[in-house]
Amino acid sequence: MNAPFKTPTDPLDAPLWDLTDLYASREDARIEADLARTRGLVDDLGALQGRLVAARAEPALLGERLDRAVSLYEQASDGLGALGAYAFLAASTNRNDAGAQGFEATVREKLAAIATPTVWVTLEVNQLEEAEIEAALAAWPAAARWRPWLRRVRAMKPHELSNELETFLAERGPISAQWPRLFDETLAAMKVRSGKDELTLAEALNRLSDPKAPRRKSAAEGLNEALAAQTRTMALVLNTVAADKALEDKWRGFKRPADSRHLSNEVDGDSVDAMAEAVAAAYPRLSHRYYALKARAMGKAKLEQWDRNAPIETTAPRGYDWAAGKQLVLESFADLGPEFADRAGGFFDKPWIDGKARPGKQSGAYAHPVTSDRHPYVFLNWMGERRDVLTLAHELGHGVHQTLAAGQGSLLADTPLTLAETASIFAEGLTFDRLLKTAPKAEQRGLLAGRIEDGLNTVVRQIAFHRFETRFHDERTAGELPVERIGEIWMEEMGASLGPAITLNPGYEHWWSYVSHFVHSPFYVYAYAFGDLLVAALMETRAKDPEGFTPLYRELLAGGGSKGYVEALAPFGLNPRDPAFWTIGTKRLEGLIDRFEALV
C-alpha cells in the first residue's frame, strides 16, 4: 500500500479496535444467548399490547403501564443494538470478507424478526389522546422521564400506517438494506490506478490533497475511470433507494422527499429551505470568492477540480504521526475543561478506535454509539495529514457527546441530526484553533486556507449535495433517471456552488457515485451545514465568556435528545428561528476569507 507522503513515523501506526467488549467472534455463544434474552423481553412487552388503551380512563394505571412498556422497549432495543453494532463494526473494517458481510446481513434479518412484533407500541401510544397521556405522566411521575420520546412518537402519528403495513415495512427492512450493502462492497472492492500505484478509494481521495499537482491530477483521472466503470451500478442503487423511499413516503403521506428526515430531526422543512437558500445566496461571497483568491495564490487563472483541496504552499505539508495527532486533539479538548479531555482520552487508553487504513476497509469516518449501556467506537482512515487530525477530533467529539448523553438511556440519548453534529464540529473547530495558534508563521496561510476549505466543504458543499439530492428525488418521481441525467444535475449543482474559478473537468460527472449519505441516509447532508452554522454561533458565545460557557455546553451535550434544538440553545441566548441566527456562521466564514485575502 502506498502512503500519500511520509510523516516522521509511519502514519499507519494508527490503532485497531477490539470488539470483544461486544462479542469475541461471530461464533461467540453470547450471541445466541442475547438473542434469546431479547426475544424474552419482546414477549414481556407483547403481554402489554392492548393494555395501554384499556387503561386510558385510569391515569395512574396508564402511567404505570406506559413506564413499563417504554422501559421494556428500551431494554429490547439495547439488546438488538449491541448485536447489530457488532455485526456492522466488524463488517466495515473488511468489506472484502464475504463471511463478515454475510454475517451482517443475517444478523440484520434476525434482529428485524425479533423487533417486528414491537411495532404495536408506537401505534398504541398514538391511539391515546394528548390529555390522557399528560394525566398519566402526572399520576405516575416515574413515567414522566419518557416525555421527550413520547413527543417524537406523537409527531409521527399523522404518518403512521396500519399494524399490518408497519409490520410489513419492518420485515422488509433487511431486504431494502441490501442496496446500501451493494454500494459499500462495490466501493470497497474498487481499485484506483494512479501512475504506478493502485489505490483504495480512501487513498485516492486523500491524494487530492497532495502538494504535487501531477499526483493530484493522476489520482483524479484514476477516480474518473474507476467511478465511471461502476456508475451504472451506482445509478441503479440510487434509483432503487429513491423509488423505495418514495413509495413509503406516499403511503405515509409525506409531501416532499425530505419531509420524513425533517420530522425525525424535529425541524421545520421551511427553516431548512431558508437555510439552504441563504447559503446558496452566499455562494458568491464564500466559495466563488475564495477559490478565485486561491487560484491567484497558486499562480493560476483557474483551478482544476482536483486543485480544490490542494495545499496552498508548494512544500510538503506537515505530517502527523498517530501520537502527535492524539496529543494535539487531547490538548484541544482540554481547552473546554479536564472532563472533556479525560473522556476523549478514554478512547485512546482502551482499544475503542480503529484508525489504520487498509485494503477492504470502507472509506470515511464515523463514531458509533452502540447503546447507552455500552461504550462507543470511533472509525477513521488515518493517513497522517492535517485533515486526519481534524477528522479524529470530529469523531471523538461525537464519542464524547455519546458518553455524556449515555445517562439518558438509549431512547433519550439518541440525538436529532439538528444537534448530532454540534459536538463534533465544535471539537474540530477547537482543534483547528490550536493548530493555527501553534503553527509557525510560514504555515499560517496554508492552515487558514485549510480551515476555510473545511468550512466550505461543511457548509457550501453539503448544501450543494442537498440541492442535488432534492432535484434527483424530485425528478425520480417521474421515472428512473439515467446515468447521464444524474451526472448533469450533479455538474449543475457543483458548478453553481464552486463558481467560475474552478474547472469541472470531464469525468467529474461521475463523482456523485461515491457519496455514501445519498444511499445510506437520504437527506442527511444538510445536517452538516446546520451543525456548522449552529456551532459558529456557539463559538461566538464562548468567546465572550469561556468559563461560563463550559457548564452550559456540557449540559447541552448530556441532554442528548431530551430537548429539541430550539429549547437546547435557549440557555445560550440563541434563537435558531431568527433568520439572523444563520448569518452568524456565514459572516464568520467571510471573516476568515477576509484574513486570507490579506495574505494573498
Side-chain angles (χ1 to χ4, degrees):
M1 187 188 306
N2 294 290
F5 62 90
K6 295 296 182 182
T7 54
T9 62
D10 182 357
L12 303 183
D13 64 355
L16 306 178
W17 57 30
D18 181 355
L19 300 181
T20 55
D21 284 354
L22 295 172
Y23 298 99
S25 70
R26 299 197 292 265
E27 292 74 37
D28 193 328
R30 290 180 296 169
I31 291 175
E32 287 303 322
D34 285 352
L35 286 170
R37 181 179 61 82
T38 305
R39 289 189 190 98
L41 289 168
V42 171
D43 288 343
D44 291 345
L45 179 60
L48 290 170
Q49 186 170 2
R51 300 184 70 193
L52 302 181
V53 170
R56 67 194 315 165
E58 302 175 67
L61 182 59
L62 175 57
E64 179 184 6
R65 289 178 179 177
L66 272 173
D67 187 25
R68 176 161 172 73
V70 182
S71 296
L72 285 169
Y73 188 87
E74 181 175 65
Q75 292 170 40
S77 298
D78 283 345
L80 298 175
L83 183 52
Y86 174 73
F88 168 74
L89 294 168
S92 65
T93 55
N94 197 351
R95 289 293 176 192
N96 293 339
D97 181 356
Q101 307 315 304
F103 177 75
E104 183 186 20
T106 299
V107 165
R108 194 182 293 119
E109 291 175 4
K110 288 183 177 180
L111 300 188
I114 295 172
T116 296
T118 68
V119 298
W120 69 267
V121 176
T122 56
L123 294 174
E124 188 162 335
V125 165
N126 281 338
Q127 290 179 46
L128 301 169
E129 299 297 330
E130 200 69 39
E132 293 169 341
I133 292 177
E134 286 301 319
L137 301 187
W140 192 265
R145 70 179 300 264
W146 302 118
R147 181 176 274 109
W149 183 79
L150 291 168
R151 182 188 70 236
R152 294 199 291 271
V153 169
R154 301 289 285 178
M156 189 64 184
K157 182 176 180 177
H159 305 286
E160 284 185 336
L161 305 174
S162 67
N163 187 73
E164 292 77 11
L165 280 174
E166 293 289 357
T167 299
F168 167 73
L169 291 173
E171 290 178 343
R172 191 191 62 172
I175 300 170
S176 298
Q178 296 297 78
W179 291 104
R181 174 187 174 185
L182 173 61
F183 177 91
D184 289 340
E185 292 184 14
T186 300
L187 290 182
M190 192 171 72
K191 300 299 181 185
V192 179
R193 296 297 307 177
S194 180
K196 297 179 180 179
D197 300 330
E198 186 177 78
L199 307 176
T200 65
L201 174 62
E203 290 172 319
L205 292 171
N206 187 71
R207 191 167 286 190
L208 298 176
S209 300
D210 194 284
K212 296 180 179 178
R215 284 167 62 84
R216 295 195 301 271
K217 180 180 179 181
S218 178
E221 290 176 342
L223 278 164
N224 289 344
E225 183 178 348
L227 292 172
Q230 303 296 340
T231 193
R232 295 200 179 277
T233 298
M234 297 315 209
L236 174 61
V237 170
L238 191 61
N239 270 288
T240 305
V241 167
D244 191 43
K245 182 184 187 308
L247 182 61
E248 182 172 335
D249 284 350
K250 183 182 78 170
W251 278 89
R252 293 195 180 280
F254 289 113
K255 291 183 170 56
R256 300 189 304 171
D259 283 350
S260 59
R261 178 68 67 187
H262 298 331
L263 183 64
S264 66
N265 286 345
E266 300 185 75
V267 64
D268 183 78
D270 290 340
S271 298
V272 175
D273 292 343
M275 178 190 69
E277 289 302 320
V279 172
Y283 285 170
R285 304 193 306 275
L286 299 176
S287 48
H288 296 188
R289 177 185 170 209
Y290 170 74
Y291 290 125
L293 290 170
K294 181 172 183 176
R296 187 200 310 171
M298 296 180 72
K300 298 172 178 276
K302 294 182 69 172
L303 299 174
E304 310 295 340
Q305 71 88 2
W306 53 75
D307 295 328
R308 186 171 58 84
N309 290 326
I312 289 284
E313 313 303 340
T314 55
T315 55
R318 182 193 303 187
Y320 296 86
D321 62 23
W322 182 256
K326 168 186 172 181
Q327 179 180 352
L328 201 154
V329 169
L330 290 181
E331 288 173 351
S332 302
F333 275 76
D335 289 341
L336 271 175
E339 181 188 5
F340 289 89
D342 289 345
R343 286 180 179 272
F347 285 79
F348 296 98
D349 298 338
K350 299 157 189 172
W352 296 354
I353 303 176
D354 196 294
K356 186 174 183 178
R358 53 199 186 274
K361 184 178 181 181
Q362 71 184 45
S363 61
Y366 62 76
H368 198 305
V370 188
T371 58
S372 65
D373 58 347
R374 310 285 185 117
H375 61 77
Y377 287 91
V378 163
F379 172 105
L380 71 156
N381 287 274
W382 182 265
M383 302 286 183
E385 291 193 352
R386 175 195 62 86
R387 177 65 253 169
D388 298 316
V389 176
L390 295 177
T391 298
L392 176 61
H394 183 104
E395 300 307 337
L396 280 172
H398 280 305
V400 168
H401 190 177
Q402 290 156 3
T403 63
L404 281 167
Q408 297 284 345
S410 294
L411 294 184
L412 300 184
D414 187 27
T415 308
L417 292 183
T418 43
L419 290 173
E421 294 298 330
T422 302
S424 54
I425 296 173
F426 199 97
E428 195 173 337
L430 286 175
T431 303
F432 171 78
D433 288 345
R434 179 165 286 274
L435 274 170
L436 186 61
K437 183 179 179 180
T438 58
K441 190 171 183 179
E443 294 182 14
Q444 289 184 1
R445 186 178 77 154
L447 277 171
L448 186 59
R451 183 66 185 108
I452 293 167
E453 288 165 20
D454 289 341
L456 295 178
N457 287 335
T458 304
V459 177
V460 170
R461 188 164 174 80
Q462 299 304 322
I463 289 302
F465 283 0
H466 175 67
R467 289 163 69 91
F468 160 80
E469 198 171 17
T470 300
R471 289 180 61 187
F472 168 78
H473 280 262
D474 285 345
E475 290 193 22
R476 180 63 181 86
T477 59
E480 186 168 305
L481 271 67
V483 166
E484 294 76 14
R485 179 55 186 156
I486 300 175
E488 287 173 1
I489 300 172
W490 172 260
M491 294 292 275
E492 288 167 9
E493 290 301 330
M494 294 307 105
S497 67
L498 295 172
I502 290 188
T503 299
L504 299 184
N505 309 89
Y508 191 64
E509 66 270 16
H510 305 304
W511 285 44
W512 57 268
S513 62
Y514 78 83
V515 182
S516 62
H517 286 106
F518 296 157
V519 172
H520 283 274
S521 307
F523 297 100
Y524 184 106
V525 291
Y526 76 74
Y528 289 111
F530 194 106
D532 191 275
L533 296 174
L534 187 154
V535 164
L538 286 173
M539 285 193 148
E540 291 294 315
T541 303
R542 178 176 181 264
K544 298 172 186 174
D545 181 12
E547 290 187 9
F549 175 86
T550 294
L552 293 177
Y553 182 67
R554 187 197 186 282
E555 183 179 349
L556 181 149
L557 300 187
S562 63
K563 295 179 181 178
Y565 72 102
V566 174
E567 182 184 2
L569 291 176
F572 300 91
L574 297 171
N575 178 15
R577 287 179 173 152
D578 183 349
F581 173 85
W582 301 110
T583 66
I584 298 173
T586 56
K587 287 179 179 177
R588 184 182 176 91
L589 190 51
E590 282 187 71
L592 292 176
I593 297 172
D594 290 341
R595 289 173 61 185
F596 179 77
E597 184 172 23
L599 298 174
V600 173

